[in-house]
């Protein structure tokens, strides 16, 4: 070997391991090699393979393929080390045509039975989603290594062929193969996405048996699995047992609580994260803001959002949406609007959040205007956009607008109405007293009506006192959700009201036999960053004594103003909270009273309730807002009520 050749070789070796290697430089080296006819020398096949190995590790895929084609044109026979690099490059470039050509080279050179070459071929086809060919080669192999199992499984999982991927993974373990943590995480993630807790837990058992349960990535994937399957206790169990966790783990847990209806747990965990001096990332932020939104915790949401640069919110649609949503759900349309206007990048989801926010806070007309602007700017609306608009029509009782939007969905935008859209329409018609039309629409729906849809019709029946239809609807509802206490109570009340005492008693008995319990009503109020929770007749609050004496005082004033606890509408009203359980002590009243004694006399009181506000509380709160001159905002499970000077923003329509 001449000195210059050795020099170039050394040069090449050093440079190939230098990540800052530039492409022109590389091709220069290649041409040197060619000029020196180095590639002709059989001794340097090893060298070529080394070069290929270096190029693949540097992700220099095109130079790698060039080098291979030069080798090929110089009739330099590749060997079992050459093909894996070349096929890997084809796989990464998703170049099916070239990879298939290389496959013919493999067959010509007789390396098709070599395990490494065959593994590379399977992985190449799997990566390029040519799964039939991949599986054929895979099945032909009499000896398989971890790499080929992993490649084949990944191919299935990445193309959404979940069942095949998981069953192959089971076979892999049965064959005594030990997957790496990366593969386990990948399979667990697929289980999460498919809500397959059983397979996930089976993998967890394997992981523990093999002592791999101290791997942060595997554990985080397990947390995520339990979260996605709605099993927060399971998630917490893994989380608490982790020796090491990063912000991703925390986010998974916080977001899990928030999205599984446990906002207070989400906030508690977030505070713990703060105490451990961990900075939230985008995902944590979305989880925490969603928890604040659920609890109507405006001050807290505000404080948390300041932990992140405002610019990040405005340039990230996911973050921006979370903030707009939080402000809207806390009843501050102004702040939501300011964020929306400031967004540097808005997608349809951001628009939807703002349209929904406006609807929620009672600005229906503005939301219709925003939709018109959206159309003008050419932002294509999607199904959720119409859910917002139709809800707006429902809240404002705009039947004609509702019909128009519902029709345009399909006719102008080619969107198929989902069950939510039918639900909104039925709600709108039912509230407007068009009960027959609403009932007809349920019968015409292309899908089976669910409890929400029937519930809307029931709402209309109550509002317009159609006891006969209500009876029919409640029977459907009991079929659909046999565990829901409210339906039994209402049906039994209707029977009682019609003099069908036996029927009424039978329903009560069924309830008792089935051990059906009522959903307890809860209300939340935030004070100086702390969220206080109240239940019906709750006496657990430290200020309980003062709250109840204030409540008595309010009761006297209400009486003096002529307010009588409403018992007249008992037929429908014993809905979710029991009447006999003292009307005066419904959770929202306790929360409002606590707000009255704990805040300045000019402050707005914001309360969130998990059930619908009952008629009696609604009437009482209107009067309380009148004689205390307080603005009281109550968000129930249906909408916002903004009580001011004796009236409510819902116009008694909810
Ligand atoms: Zn009430
Ligand atoms: Zn109201």
């Amino acid at each position: 070997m001449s000195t210059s050749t050795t020099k170039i070789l050394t040069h090449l070796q050093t440079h190939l391991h230098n990540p800052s290697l530039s492409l022109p430089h590389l091709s220069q080296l290649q041409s040197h090699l060619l000029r020196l006819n180095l590639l002709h020398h059989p001794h340097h096949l090893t060298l070529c393979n080394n070069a290929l190995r270096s190029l693949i590790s540097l992700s220099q895929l095109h130079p790698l393929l060039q080098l291979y084609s030069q080798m090929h044109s110089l009739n330099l026979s590749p060997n079992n080390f050459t093909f894996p690099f070349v096929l890997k490059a084809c796989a990464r470039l998703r170049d099916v045509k070239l990879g298939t050509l290389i496959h013919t080279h493999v067959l010509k050179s007789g390396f098709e039975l070599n395990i490494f070459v065959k593994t590379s071929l399977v992985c190449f086809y799997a990566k390029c989603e040519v799964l039939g060919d991949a599986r054929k080669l895979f099945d032909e192999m009499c000896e398989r290594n971890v790499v080929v199992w992993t490649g084949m499984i990944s191919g299935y999982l990445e193309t959404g062929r979940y069942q095949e991927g998981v069953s192959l993974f089971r076979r892999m373990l049965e064959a005594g193969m030990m997957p790496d943590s990366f593969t386990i995480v990948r399979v667990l993630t697929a289980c999460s996405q498919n809500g397959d807790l059983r397979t996930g837990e089976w993998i967890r058992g394997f992981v523990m048996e093999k002592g791999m349960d101290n791997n942060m990535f595997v554990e985080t994937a397990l947390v995520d699995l339990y979260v996605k399957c709605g099993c927060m206790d399971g998630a917490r169990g893994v989380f608490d047992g982790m020796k090491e966790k990063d912000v991703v783990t925390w986010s998974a847990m916080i977001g899990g609580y928030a999205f599984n209806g446990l906002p207070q747990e989400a906030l508690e965990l977030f505070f713990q994260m703060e105490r451990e001096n961990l900075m939230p990332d985008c995902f944590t932020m979305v989880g925490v803001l969603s928890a604040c939104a659920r609890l109507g915790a405006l001050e807290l949401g505000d404080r948390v959002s300041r932990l992140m640069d405002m610019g990040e919110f405005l340039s990230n649609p996911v973050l921006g949406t979370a903030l707009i949503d939080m402000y809207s759900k806390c009843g501050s349309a102004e702040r939501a609007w300011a964020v929306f206007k400031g967004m540097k990048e808005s997608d349809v989801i951001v628009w939807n959040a703002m349209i929904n926010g406006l609807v929620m806070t009672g600005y229906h007309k503005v939301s219709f205007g925003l939709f018109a602007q959206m159309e003008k700017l050419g932002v294509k609306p999607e199904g959720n956009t119409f859910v917002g608009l139709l809800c707006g029509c429902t809240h404002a009782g705009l039947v004609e607008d509702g019909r128009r939007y519902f029709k345009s969905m399909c006719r102008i935008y080619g969107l198929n109405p989902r069950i939510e859209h039918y639900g909104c329409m039925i709600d709108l018609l039912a509230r407007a007293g068009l009960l027959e039309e609403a009932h007809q629409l349920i019968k015409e729906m292309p899908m089976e009506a669910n409890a929400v849809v029937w519930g809307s019709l029931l709402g209309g029946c109550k509002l317009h006192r159609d006891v006969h239809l209500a009876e029919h609807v409640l029977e459907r509802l009991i079929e659909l959700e046999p565990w829901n206490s409210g339906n039994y109570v209402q049906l039994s009340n209707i029977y009682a009201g019609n003099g069908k005492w036996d029927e009424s008693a039978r329903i009560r008995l069924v309830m008792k036999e089935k051990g059906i319990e009522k959903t307890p009503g809860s209300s939340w109020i935030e004070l100086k960053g702390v969220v206080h929770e109240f239940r019906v007749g709750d006496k657990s609050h430290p200020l309980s004594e003062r709250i109840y004496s204030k409540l008595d005082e309010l009761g006297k004033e209400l009486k003096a103003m002529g307010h009588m606890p409403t018992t007249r509408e008992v037929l429908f009203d014993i809905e979710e909270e029991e009447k006999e359980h003292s009307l005066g002590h419904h959770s929202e009243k306790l929360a409002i009273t606590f707000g009255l004694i704990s805040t300045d006399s000019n402050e707005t009181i914001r309360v969130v309730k998990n059930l619908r506000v009952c008629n009696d509380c609604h009437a009482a709160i209107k009067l309380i807002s009148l004689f205390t001159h307080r603005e009281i905002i109550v968000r129930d499970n249906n909408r916002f009520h903004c009580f001011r000077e004796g009236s409510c923003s819902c116009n008694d329509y909810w």
Side-chain angles (χ1 to χ4, degrees), residues 577-579 582-589 609 612-618 621:
E577 287 181 77
E578 277 282 18
K579 213 80 183 172
S582 172
L583 270 179
H585 298 163
H586 277 176
S587 60
E588 64 270 46
K589 279 211 188 111
K609 187 175 184 199
R612 180 179 171 272
V613 179
C614 80
N615 283 357
D616 183 70
C617 286
H618 198 269
I621 301 168

Side-chain angles (χ1 to χ4, degrees), residues 618 641 643 648 650 652 654:
H618 198 269
H641 301 268
F643 298 93
C648 179
C650 76
D652 304 332
W654 80 102

Side-chain angles (χ1 to χ4, degrees), residues 126 131 135 138 146 148-174 179 183-191 193-194 196 199-200 202-203:
L131 291 177
R135 186 59 190 257
F138 179 86
V146 175
V148 76
W149 281 99
T150 309
M152 196 64 229
I153 292 165
S154 306
Y156 281 129
L157 295 182
E158 253 142 58
T159 46
R161 289 165 72 166
Y162 172 71
Q163 287 305 343
E164 285 152 293
V166 165
S167 75
L168 203 60
F169 183 69
R170 279 180 189 263
R171 267 186 59 197
M172 174 183 181
L173 301 193
E174 280 158 16
T183 311
I184 294 177
V185 168
R186 181 174 277 171
V187 180
L188 280 173
T189 307
C191 292
Q193 284 161 354
N194 287 278
D196 185 354
T199 306
W202 173 75
I203 295 171

Side-chain angles (χ1 to χ4, degrees), residues 264-320:
Q264 267 190 301
E265 283 80 354
L267 292 183
E268 271 158 33
L269 202 62
F270 175 69
F271 295 143
Q272 193 184 329
M273 182 179 166
E274 273 194 316
R275 284 196 295 275
E276 297 193 10
N277 287 322
L278 259 152
M279 276 309 282
D281 67 359
C282 171
F283 296 102
T284 329
M285 196 50 92
V286 170
V288 178
L289 288 178
S290 143
C292 292
R294 247 173 187 272
L295 294 166
L298 181 59
E299 299 305 317
L300 191 61
D302 236 3
R303 174 177 84 71
V304 169
S305 72
R306 281 195 294 272
L307 294 175
M308 202 168 248
D309 180 36
M310 196 55 191
E312 292 218 33
F313 283 99
L314 299 178
S315 52
N316 180 336
V318 176
L319 279 173

Side-chain angles (χ1 to χ4, degrees), residues 356 463 550:
N356 270 312
L463 198 63
K550 178 75 181 175

Side-chain angles (χ1 to χ4, degrees), residues 36-156:
L36 287 163
N37 233 353
L38 187 64
L39 294 172
H40 275 302
H41 203 295
H43 171 75
H44 295 121
L45 187 55
T46 319
L47 173 72
C48 286
N49 283 340
N50 282 345
L52 291 172
R53 182 199 315 272
S54 304
L55 288 167
I56 196 83
S57 71
L58 292 165
S59 289
Q60 298 289 356
L61 308 178
H62 290 289
L64 185 152
L65 295 174
Q66 269 170 29
L67 184 56
Y68 174 77
S69 90
Q70 282 158 3
M71 286 168 71
H72 195 72
S73 59
L74 292 167
N75 277 328
L76 201 67
S77 330
N79 64 12
N80 53 333
F81 294 107
T82 317
F83 289 119
F85 300 127
V86 183
L87 285 164
K88 208 175 240 179
C90 295
R92 288 205 201 155
L93 292 166
R94 303 280 199 281
D95 192 336
V96 183
K97 228 175 117 186
L98 187 58
T100 314
L101 179 72
I102 308 288
H103 190 176
T104 62
H105 295 175
V106 169
L107 293 174
K108 263 187 219 156
S109 54
F111 281 108
E112 78 267 25
L113 291 178
N114 179 281
I115 181 166
F116 298 110
V117 176
K118 202 138 191 178
T119 296
S120 305
L121 278 168
V122 171
C123 292
F124 154 73
Y125 281 118
K127 191 102 185 166
C128 293
E129 304 186 358
V130 189
L131 291 177
D133 290 358
R135 186 59 190 257
K136 195 168 160 281
L137 292 169
F138 179 86
D139 286 339
E140 279 167 18
M141 294 173 82
C142 31
E143 191 194 346
R144 300 182 190 98
N145 56 21
V146 175
V147 180
V148 76
W149 281 99
T150 309
M152 196 64 229
I153 292 165
S154 306
Y156 281 129

Side-chain angles (χ1 to χ4, degrees), residues 583-603:
L583 270 179
H585 298 163
H586 277 176
S587 60
E588 64 270 46
K589 279 211 188 111
L590 293 174
I592 289 169
T593 311
F594 170 67
L596 285 170
I597 62 173
S598 324
T599 55
D600 288 340
S601 59
N602 57 351
E603 271 181 64

